[in-house]
Amino acid sequence: MSTASRPYYRHGSPLSVFNPAQGFAADAPMMQRIDVGDSSDDEIPPPMKFSALTRALLESEEGIEQSSPKQDTARDYETPSRAPQLKIVRNNDHMAVRPAPEYQRQTRPSSRTQHDATEDQENIPPPTFKRDRHHDFKYLGKPDKLALHVKSQPVEETPISHQSPRRALTTISNNTPVRPAPPPPPKMSVLDAATKTAGASTTKSKKRRQHILINGKLFTQMNKVGKGGSSDVYCVMAENYKLFALKKVKLEDCDESAMRGFKGEIDLLTKLADVERVIRLFDWELDNEKQILSVLMEKGDQDLNRILTIALNGTDPKFDPVLTRFYWKEMLECVQAVHDYDIVHSDLKPANFLSVQGKLKLIDFGIANAIDIAHTVNVHRDSHIGTPNYMSPESILDTNAPTPGSERTSNNGSRLMKIGKPSDVWSLGCILYQMVYGRPPFAHIANQISRIMAITNSKVVIEFPDKGVGGVTVPSALKGTLRRCLQRDLHARPTVKQLLSLSDPWLYPDVGNAVAMSEDLLAQIIDKVVERCKDPKRGIPSPDEVKQYPASFMSKIREMVEREGVVG
Ligand SMILES: Nc1ncnc2c1ncn2[C@@H]1O[C@H](COP(=O)(O)OP(=O)(O)OP(=O)(O)O)[C@@H](O)[C@H]1O
């Protein structure tokens, strides 16, 4: 047999993975165990089909000649090269079995730069799937009839015994990286262990949802949304997932006057159920046993007190005329809605205006009441009166001067006040003042008694500075509105209707004939008139001419505003 002849393998043949340059030892165990019969291994092609003659020749050691391995170390290890020729000799004829290219496997170059892209880390199959073909074949075994017995250089035997039984596929768990076990939980004291809640089911009892029945309807109590002097207000969810506000009033500590107030509130809210600017009452229930009054209402987003607190306590608070005008109009709309029903709220303060989807609505009619024919009402004030910041002088005077046996004291001794719609206007003026100057008009007086005295004392002058919060100039129309609302003479105050009218210069500065006038512009107008009078040719203007001056100047000013956007 010629040593010059080389083995010749079909492309993709399991035999082709062996480097013929290394040669084959006829008795090498590796070669004897080649198995091509297991189709479950995806990269193993089906066994070669040989004719009977070829098989006979293959089984005969004499039938195969192998060419001497070519010493071609310069070739790139991945360069496709023509497979060594396996020649089958028969009757001195050389029959070539199909020539096939083979990827010659050589020692990998040590230099990284010589690597082909396919050798990049990302292209290398993950360790689980990486396998050594030599080993695979060994495990699977090779049918004897296909064993090649080629006299060649011996190859190193793999340390894995070919006698070892075929291994089952490894479990997934064996493929996951081994992580160190988590540290044991810290040791607890006996008391901790006894009192600690465990597991997901042990939610803190505080957060446990409470279910409430109101007149047979089930609600889930959510978070608390507000707190009043005598009540807590919660967000509750109905079975249809709609949200409501539930005001829970504890009645156990309430006196008769307070009870009357709560009853009055429910009566008024029922009466005003269709008034859009009043928070809607849906239902109420009195639990005599627990002494709790539950009032189910439309739910608001946040009250005006919170809105103002955020606006006035930010990093760089500034009086904002646009925002102020918006909320001023919203408040007027609310109060007008109840005044239309001849109801005086009598406890107007930022916390009692609730923003509901961008619109303000009135809440807390605890001391509100319907007024009588004399346009005033006896209002019961109990000990729950909080800050006097927004209270009108007339309400304080009456509250402060209860003389036993006087007609202004109720039978049970609670304080009575005769107040009317102007009292609400004073309170509105106080809220507007707070939006402009950052505090209600008398809030700077720390002592509560001194403050109350100042409100009622007409000699204490209320200041209206030119600059509001953040040094922003206060429009004079706004100052005019403030002055008119905060008059101690209740009869001199404007009505809410007047404050809302289109002729109000603060609410509607651009409506009608009004134009903003700067000092500079006024000086220009006076100059023009003086120049005209000085003109010797034209002489002093006639009375008819003077009559036309206002209309003429006004139209020129409007033109100027339209053209330049400013006056002056
Ligand atoms: N319907 C509602 N939706 C959302 N929040 C509300 C609602 N009603 C009241 N609140 C919140 O709860 C707070 C207290 O409510 P309310 O003024 O009605 O209680 P009160 O006990 O009558 O208070 P006060 O002591 O001022 O009379 C409100 O300032 C508001 O923030």
Side-chain angles (χ1 to χ4, degrees):
M1 185 181 304
S2 165
T3 51
S5 60
R6 300 169 67 190
Y8 186 90
Y9 304 130
R10 177 168 63 87
H11 173 65
S13 153
L15 302 180
S16 67
V17 299
F18 295 103
N19 182 0
Q22 291 176 314
F24 302 99
D27 55 349
M30 182 172 74
M31 294 307 300
Q32 290 163 4
R33 302 294 303 170
I34 291 173
D35 185 355
V36 294
D38 191 340
S39 60
S40 67
D41 284 313
D42 49 2
E43 290 186 28
I44 301 171
M48 287 186 294
K49 284 183 181 161
F50 294 97
S51 67
L53 173 64
T54 312
R55 277 204 308 275
L57 285 166
L58 284 170
E59 281 164 12
S60 155
E61 284 184 24
E62 270 71 40
I64 298 172
E65 283 184 359
Q66 191 195 4
S67 61
S68 34
K70 193 177 174 187
Q71 302 300 317
D72 192 2
T73 49
R75 240 185 320 180
D76 190 278
Y77 76 104
E78 290 238 278
T79 308
S81 63
R82 195 174 167 78
Q85 293 281 312
L86 175 69
K87 288 181 181 175
I88 301 169
V89 182
R90 186 182 60 145
N91 296 336
N92 298 329
D93 289 342
H94 283 74
M95 250 172 51
V97 182
R98 279 184 292 164
E102 181 192 1
Y103 282 84
Q104 205 163 7
R105 303 181 78 83
Q106 294 180 352
T107 316
R108 281 174 188 237
S110 57
S111 160
R112 179 79 180 91
T113 51
Q114 284 176 276
H115 283 205
D116 189 88
T118 53
E119 285 297 304
D120 283 349
Q121 204 175 0
E122 61 190 324
N123 293 323
I124 298 171
T128 313
F129 304 105
K130 202 174 169 186
R131 68 182 184 190
D132 184 328
R133 290 182 183 215
H134 298 244
H135 288 187
D136 286 345
F137 298 134
K138 280 160 68 70
Y139 303 147
L140 295 169
K142 174 180 178 283
D144 285 341
K145 59 182 178 179
L146 282 182
L148 293 179
H149 304 281
V150 182
K151 281 180 183 168
S152 185
Q153 290 175 2
V155 290
E156 241 179 59
E157 191 179 342
T158 172
I160 299 167
S161 162
H162 58 268
Q163 298 298 334
S164 61
R166 185 174 171 178
R167 279 193 287 175
L169 289 173
T170 185
T171 57
I172 291 173
S173 58
N174 282 352
N175 290 332
T176 53
V178 179
R179 293 193 188 90
K187 279 192 177 173
M188 282 195 287
S189 72
V190 179
L191 179 66
D192 282 347
T195 56
K196 193 178 175 351
T197 54
S201 61
T202 54
T203 330
K204 277 186 185 168
S205 59
K206 266 189 190 171
K207 290 195 174 174
R208 225 176 265 152
R209 299 275 182 240
Q210 192 183 331
H211 296 288
I212 303 159
L213 272 178
I214 296 170
N215 293 326
K217 289 213 176 73
L218 187 71
F219 294 89
T220 308
Q221 184 172 308
M222 320 283 280
N223 53 314
K224 193 193 269 190
V225 292
K227 189 170 172 55
S230 49
S231 63
D232 287 328
V233 184
Y234 296 90
C235 171
V236 293
M237 187 166 65
E239 282 178 300
N240 61 359
Y241 304 110
K242 281 195 176 161
L243 299 177
F244 297 87
L246 183 73
K247 182 168 165 173
K248 279 186 176 177
V249 187
K250 286 190 197 93
L251 299 174
E252 52 199 10
D253 304 325
C254 290
D255 57 14
E256 200 192 317
S257 144
M259 290 292 280
R260 201 172 31 235
F262 297 130
K263 188 182 174 304
E265 179 169 24
I266 287 171
D267 287 348
L268 281 179
L269 287 177
T270 310
K271 191 176 172 183
L272 300 170
D274 295 325
V275 178
E276 209 214 346
R277 291 297 187 155
V278 173
I279 209 81
R280 182 126 189 233
L281 170 78
F282 286 105
D283 208 352
W284 63 276
E285 191 188 64
L286 178 65
D287 187 331
N288 276 317
E289 203 180 298
K290 290 184 185 164
Q291 285 285 289
I292 287 179
L293 172 70
S294 302
V295 184
L296 188 72
M297 299 174 284
E298 167 186 15
K299 187 190 163 294
D301 304 319
Q302 55 184 344
D303 63 49
L304 186 60
N305 187 46
R306 182 153 172 72
I307 295 170
L308 294 186
T309 305
I310 293 168
L312 296 170
N313 294 320
T315 40
D316 186 20
K318 277 195 174 69
F319 155 61
D320 183 342
V322 177
L323 208 69
T324 305
R325 188 179 285 116
F326 170 79
Y327 282 120
W328 175 242
K329 186 160 180 280
E330 286 288 305
M331 287 193 295
L332 289 175
E333 300 271 8
C334 292
V335 180
Q336 178 65 57
V338 298
H339 282 188
D340 281 348
Y341 278 77
D342 279 344
I343 288 168
V344 182
H345 188 281
S346 74
D347 193 19
L348 293 179
K349 55 187 178 185
N352 285 342
F353 288 94
L354 201 61
S355 171
V356 186
Q357 295 179 347
K359 271 191 168 181
L360 285 191
K361 298 198 179 195
L362 267 175
I363 56 168
D364 192 3
F365 285 75
I367 55 171
N369 232 315
I371 53 177
D372 60 15
I373 298 155
H375 305 299
T376 54
V377 66
N378 287 331
V379 174
H380 298 263
R381 284 239 188 233
D382 60 23
S383 53
H384 279 129
I385 292 175
T387 167
N389 277 337
Y390 310 92
M391 285 169 70
S392 65
E394 63 269 25
S395 68
I396 290 173
L397 277 175
D398 277 0
T399 317
N400 269 351
T403 7
S406 87
E407 58 175 10
R408 281 182 179 170
T409 307
S410 69
N411 290 340
N412 61 15
S414 71
R415 293 167 177 187
L416 290 179
M417 306 162 286
K418 273 203 181 297
I419 57 169
K421 292 178 185 176
S423 187
D424 281 347
V425 173
W426 173 280
S427 304
L428 284 172
C430 293
I431 302 172
L432 182 61
Y433 193 101
Q434 181 179 353
M435 288 198 267
V436 177
Y437 299 110
R439 58 160 175 84
F442 300 94
H444 58 294
I445 304 171
N447 182 284
Q448 185 116 322
I449 299 195
S450 307
R451 200 186 304 173
I452 288 169
M453 302 288 276
I455 292 170
T456 53
N457 187 352
S458 56
K459 287 184 183 152
V460 178
V461 177
I462 303 172
E463 301 286 338
F464 298 96
D466 288 342
K467 305 282 179 190
V469 179
V472 179
T473 302
V474 182
S476 28
L478 170 52
K479 279 206 276 182
T481 298
L482 286 171
R483 281 183 198 280
R484 289 190 297 142
C485 292
L486 295 172
Q487 297 180 84
R488 288 191 174 88
D489 177 4
L490 59 99
H491 302 291
R493 291 175 211 151
T495 63
V496 175
K497 201 172 181 179
Q498 286 168 339
L499 290 166
L500 269 171
S501 78
L502 288 176
S503 61
D504 185 85
W506 155 237
L507 208 52
Y508 300 101
D510 301 326
V511 174
N513 270 339
V515 284
M517 173 69 69
S518 69
E519 242 179 80
D520 192 37
L521 182 64
L522 186 61
Q524 286 179 43
I525 293 168
I526 294 169
D527 268 1
K528 286 236 181 252
V529 174
V530 172
E531 285 295 312
R532 167 68 188 78
C533 294
K534 280 186 185 166
D535 188 347
K537 286 182 199 157
R538 297 171 73 189
I540 299 292
S542 69
D544 280 352
E545 210 180 327
V546 171
K547 261 190 197 167
Q548 289 169 9
Y549 280 174
S552 163
F553 276 112
M554 284 298 271
S555 79
K556 279 190 182 147
I557 293 168
R558 278 196 203 98
E559 267 175 40
M560 194 193 292
V561 172
E562 277 175 34
R563 203 176 50 243
E564 294 165 31
V566 284
V567 171

